[in-house]
Amino acid sequence: MQEVKETAEIKAFVEAEVRRQIGEARKEIDRAIAEVRERTVDDRATIVVFSGDLDKAIAAMVIATGAAAAGLQTSLFFTFWGLSLLKKKGAARPKHGIKEKMFALMTPSSSESLGVSQMNYFGMGSKMLRSMMKDKDIASLEELIDMARDLDVKMLACTMSMDAMGIEQEELVSGLEYGGVAAYMADAASSRVTLFI
Amino acid sequence: MQEVKETAEIKAFVEAEVRRQIGEARKEIDRAIAEVRERTVDDRATIVVFSGDLDKAIAAMVIATGAAAAGLQTSLFFTFWGLSLLKKKGAARPKHGIKEKMFALMTPSSSESLGVSQMNYFGMGSKMLRSMMKDKDIASLEELIDMARDLDVKMLACTMSMDAMGIEQEELVSGLEYGGVAAYMADAASSRVTLFI
Amino acid sequence: MQEVKETAEIKAFVEAEVRRQIGEARKEIDRAIAEVRERTVDDRATIVVFSGDLDKAIAAMVIATGAAAAGLQTSLFFTFWGLSLLKKKGAARPKHGIKEKMFALMTPSSSESLGVSQMNYFGMGSKMLRSMMKDKDIASLEELIDMARDLDVKMLACTMSMDAMGIEQEELVSGLEYGGVAAYMADAASSRVTLFI
């Protein structure tokens, strides 16, 4: 009886001692793993869409849908000329200031009137690019934007740019989020892929 | 004898108990480390070469060779106008459609006829840039492309762009890989550096 | 007494055995954690400022200050036309070669004479953009550069570009670091956000 009691006591001691030492080691290990985890990224891609050129807009949307299809949570931050991609057709609001009027005149009124970054001979380049892509059964910019929505790509419109360029929410398509560079950076800082287009 | 046996038994028990508890802890720890590892990146850089401008092409190749020299596995994804960098001199195939003919006329026929993104006064900008770089013993675009090859930089030609622009494999230099946005994204998603140029 | 001594010995053995086995496991675990840590990133953002366009320069500085405000160590690598942002007003040195003279004539003399990437109708675009941003109380490019400095954003001027374009250190503002693509890559390779603007 004495021996059995002793063995039970020893076992209890051993189990407790192992648990204690492992517990201490675990605290250090878990802290080390947590520190390393802080230095990692999410399965996320973030693209700044700055350009209002048709060819760059298509590239941005092809990459965005490709990223989403590859399983990355994808965010697009539309800023400056990139906001043209989001304009509702025929929804331009009357502009009040003379500068805003001129600015609106000189920027595309919707995704359908974007030019091409190179060889934009009076809009011929963009007509040709659209036509050649159609001939080859490649998705149009508008189809790509719809695909991106279906793949839950987040579309963030830059409020600072909207303010600077005199663009109001009613002029843009629905389903957008609105924010500034801080909102963009919150996504970008944990992204695997970050691009400026 | 009894005591010795007891001690041996105790030692065996202790060793086994420690191994058991550590084994359990290890399973959890290894799982935690594997989860964190999933959130990390490879020593890799991935650049989308979208532009067909000489200055941007030089920047892309300087960064690519710099990344490779720094020990990063470097991939270039040549898309849209960026495909011009890969065109073999004098290898343009006769184009069939009128659109493809015009498109070919309006895009550079090889890396040696690229313009500059700014101040491209009838090609003077690119001649001057090339000449100034030569005066300063800075590598030319063609030398940079050769250096990139020597450093095992992967060159991926975008098949969707080739299709849209009517460019065939025989028109491009040898040693390329061919693929779409999915192939690009497979490299980009684990890259330390991702750029769109 | 005998029993007590035995128990003390057992305890000592247990403690030592646990320490030994945990020690061995720790070596493996620490190695695994260190390997994973090698695959992580710093809280860092790195932007190549290639463009000399006012709108892109503003975008670069807004993103840089946003990144710094979000707690990321931010580096800007000014290369090619991007060096125009760093030119001291009226500090252009007399150029010796005819090519360097022409190049200097054709590039902006300071951040105040940058054009806009789109709709740069003889400088009207950039005047209008500056004026609209002022109306809306949005920081000017020069204010953004000052903000970036206050936020300890590192400004690295590309020595290869300076060499190629014939720009000397005395022509640039103070407080810059000087380096090539290797210096850029050292920061970029551990960055959460890498952009080419």
Side-chain angles (χ1 to χ4, degrees):
Chain A
M1 195 64 196
Q2 168 74 2
E3 203 201 297
V4 172
K5 193 184 154 250
E6 249 183 342
T7 309
E9 266 172 13
I10 288 167
K11 286 191 174 178
F13 169 75
V14 169
E15 284 167 8
E17 176 62 13
V18 178
R19 192 163 298 119
R20 189 188 64 78
Q21 283 201 38
I22 288 182
E24 271 175 28
R26 273 302 287 272
K27 266 186 219 157
E28 288 175 27
I29 292 166
D30 290 350
R31 206 179 303 124
I33 293 175
E35 266 169 32
V36 172
R37 198 181 190 283
E38 290 275 298
R39 300 173 53 81
T40 61
V41 290
D42 294 329
D43 284 342
R44 192 184 275 285
T46 315
I47 301 173
V48 179
V49 184
F50 171 92
S51 173
D53 296 324
L54 175 65
D55 46 354
K56 290 195 177 172
I58 291 171
M61 298 313 301
V62 167
I63 295 173
T65 51
L72 302 180
Q73 267 188 284
T74 304
S75 304
L76 298 173
F77 183 48
F78 294 89
T79 182
F80 279 77
W81 323 106
L83 287 166
S84 306
L85 275 75
L86 304 176
K87 281 188 185 163
K88 269 194 294 215
K89 223 178 146 178
R93 291 267 310 261
K95 301 298 174 190
H96 302 296
I98 174 74
K99 288 175 212 158
E100 294 187 351
K101 272 186 183 122
M102 287 181 64
F103 216 78
L105 260 177
M106 288 156 75
T107 49
S109 61
S110 82
S111 71
E112 295 185 16
S113 43
L114 303 181
V116 176
S117 69
Q118 296 189 359
M119 54 153 240
N120 193 23
Y121 298 82
F122 305 99
M124 194 174 67
S126 67
K127 277 214 192 71
M128 210 155 65
L129 183 60
R130 281 184 180 275
S131 162
M132 286 178 74
M133 290 182 73
K134 201 176 166 189
D135 292 353
K136 310 281 181 180
D137 283 323
I138 298 173
S140 71
L141 176 58
E142 290 71 26
E143 286 165 347
L144 284 164
I145 293 176
D146 285 344
M147 274 171 64
R149 284 176 185 283
D150 289 345
L151 289 162
D152 287 324
V153 170
K154 175 169 154 183
M155 309 222 183
L156 180 65
C158 174
T159 45
M160 193 200 82
S161 299
M162 290 172 63
D163 203 22
M165 298 169 89
I167 298 170
E168 296 179 51
Q169 292 202 9
E170 302 93 274
E171 297 174 57
L172 302 181
V173 295
S174 59
L176 304 177
E177 296 186 29
Y178 293 90
V181 70
Y184 157 71
M185 198 50 70
D187 286 350
S190 69
S191 289
R192 294 184 162 279
V193 177
T194 56
L195 303 173
F196 181 97
I197 298 183
Chain B
M1 195 62 196
Q2 168 74 3
E3 204 200 296
V4 172
K5 190 182 155 254
E6 245 183 346
T7 308
E9 265 172 15
I10 287 168
K11 285 191 175 179
F13 170 74
V14 169
E15 283 167 8
E17 176 61 15
V18 177
R19 193 164 296 120
R20 189 188 64 77
Q21 283 202 38
I22 288 182
E24 270 175 29
R26 274 302 286 273
K27 267 186 218 157
E28 289 175 26
I29 291 167
D30 290 349
R31 205 179 303 126
I33 292 175
E35 265 170 32
V36 172
R37 200 180 188 285
E38 290 275 298
R39 301 173 52 80
T40 62
V41 291
D42 294 329
D43 284 341
R44 191 182 274 284
T46 315
I47 301 173
V48 180
V49 185
F50 171 92
S51 173
D53 297 323
L54 174 65
D55 47 353
K56 290 195 177 174
I58 291 172
M61 297 314 299
V62 168
I63 295 174
T65 51
L72 302 179
Q73 267 189 283
T74 305
S75 304
L76 297 174
F77 182 49
F78 293 90
T79 182
F80 278 78
W81 322 107
L83 287 167
S84 306
L85 275 76
L86 304 177
K87 282 188 185 163
K88 270 196 292 218
K89 223 177 144 179
R93 291 269 309 263
K95 302 300 175 189
H96 303 296
I98 172 75
K99 286 174 213 158
E100 292 187 352
K101 271 186 185 123
M102 288 181 65
F103 217 77
L105 260 177
M106 288 154 78
T107 50
S109 61
S110 82
S111 70
E112 295 184 16
S113 42
L114 302 182
V116 175
S117 69
Q118 294 188 1
M119 52 153 241
N120 194 24
Y121 298 81
F122 305 99
M124 193 173 67
S126 69
K127 276 213 195 69
M128 210 154 66
L129 183 60
R130 279 184 180 276
S131 162
M132 287 178 75
M133 289 181 74
K134 202 178 167 187
D135 293 352
K136 310 280 180 182
D137 283 323
I138 298 172
S140 72
L141 176 59
E142 289 72 25
E143 288 165 345
L144 285 164
I145 293 176
D146 285 344
M147 276 171 62
R149 284 178 186 282
D150 289 344
L151 290 163
D152 287 324
V153 170
K154 175 169 156 184
M155 307 221 184
L156 180 65
C158 174
T159 44
M160 192 199 82
S161 299
M162 290 172 63
D163 203 22
M165 297 168 89
I167 298 171
E168 295 178 54
Q169 293 200 10
E170 302 93 273
E171 297 174 58
L172 302 183
V173 296
S174 59
L176 304 178
E177 297 186 30
Y178 293 90
V181 69
Y184 156 72
M185 198 51 69
D187 286 349
S190 70
S191 289
R192 294 185 162 281
V193 176
T194 56
L195 302 174
F196 181 97
I197 297 184
Chain C
M1 195 63 199
Q2 168 72 2
E3 205 201 295
V4 172
K5 190 183 156 252
E6 246 185 343
T7 309
E9 267 173 13
I10 289 168
K11 284 191 175 179
F13 170 75
V14 169
E15 283 167 9
E17 176 62 15
V18 178
R19 193 163 298 119
R20 189 187 65 77
Q21 282 202 37
I22 288 182
E24 272 175 27
R26 272 303 285 273
K27 266 186 218 156
E28 289 175 25
I29 292 167
D30 290 349
R31 205 179 304 126
I33 293 175
E35 266 169 32
V36 172
R37 199 181 189 284
E38 290 276 298
R39 302 174 51 81
T40 61
V41 290
D42 294 328
D43 284 341
R44 192 182 276 284
T46 314
I47 301 173
V48 180
V49 185
F50 170 92
S51 172
D53 297 323
L54 175 65
D55 47 354
K56 290 195 177 172
I58 291 172
M61 298 313 301
V62 167
I63 294 173
T65 51
L72 302 179
Q73 268 188 284
T74 305
S75 304
L76 297 174
F77 183 49
F78 293 90
T79 182
F80 278 78
W81 322 107
L83 287 167
S84 306
L85 275 75
L86 303 177
K87 282 188 185 163
K88 270 196 291 215
K89 223 180 145 177
R93 292 268 309 264
K95 301 298 174 191
H96 303 295
I98 174 74
K99 288 175 212 155
E100 293 187 353
K101 272 188 183 119
M102 286 181 65
F103 216 77
L105 261 177
M106 287 156 75
T107 49
S109 60
S110 82
S111 70
E112 294 184 16
S113 43
L114 303 180
V116 176
S117 69
Q118 294 189 359
M119 55 154 236
N120 194 23
Y121 299 80
F122 305 99
M124 193 172 68
S126 67
K127 278 213 192 71
M128 209 155 66
L129 183 61
R130 280 185 181 275
S131 161
M132 285 178 75
M133 289 181 74
K134 202 176 167 190
D135 293 353
K136 309 282 180 182
D137 283 324
I138 298 172
S140 72
L141 175 58
E142 289 72 26
E143 287 166 344
L144 285 164
I145 294 176
D146 286 343
M147 276 170 63
R149 283 178 187 282
D150 290 345
L151 289 163
D152 287 324
V153 170
K154 175 169 153 184
M155 308 221 184
L156 180 66
C158 174
T159 46
M160 192 200 83
S161 298
M162 289 173 63
D163 204 22
M165 298 169 88
I167 298 171
E168 297 179 50
Q169 292 201 9
E170 303 93 272
E171 297 175 59
L172 302 183
V173 295
S174 59
L176 304 178
E177 297 186 28
Y178 293 90
V181 69
Y184 157 72
M185 198 51 69
D187 286 351
S190 70
S191 288
R192 295 185 161 280
V193 176
T194 57
L195 303 173
F196 181 97
I197 297 183

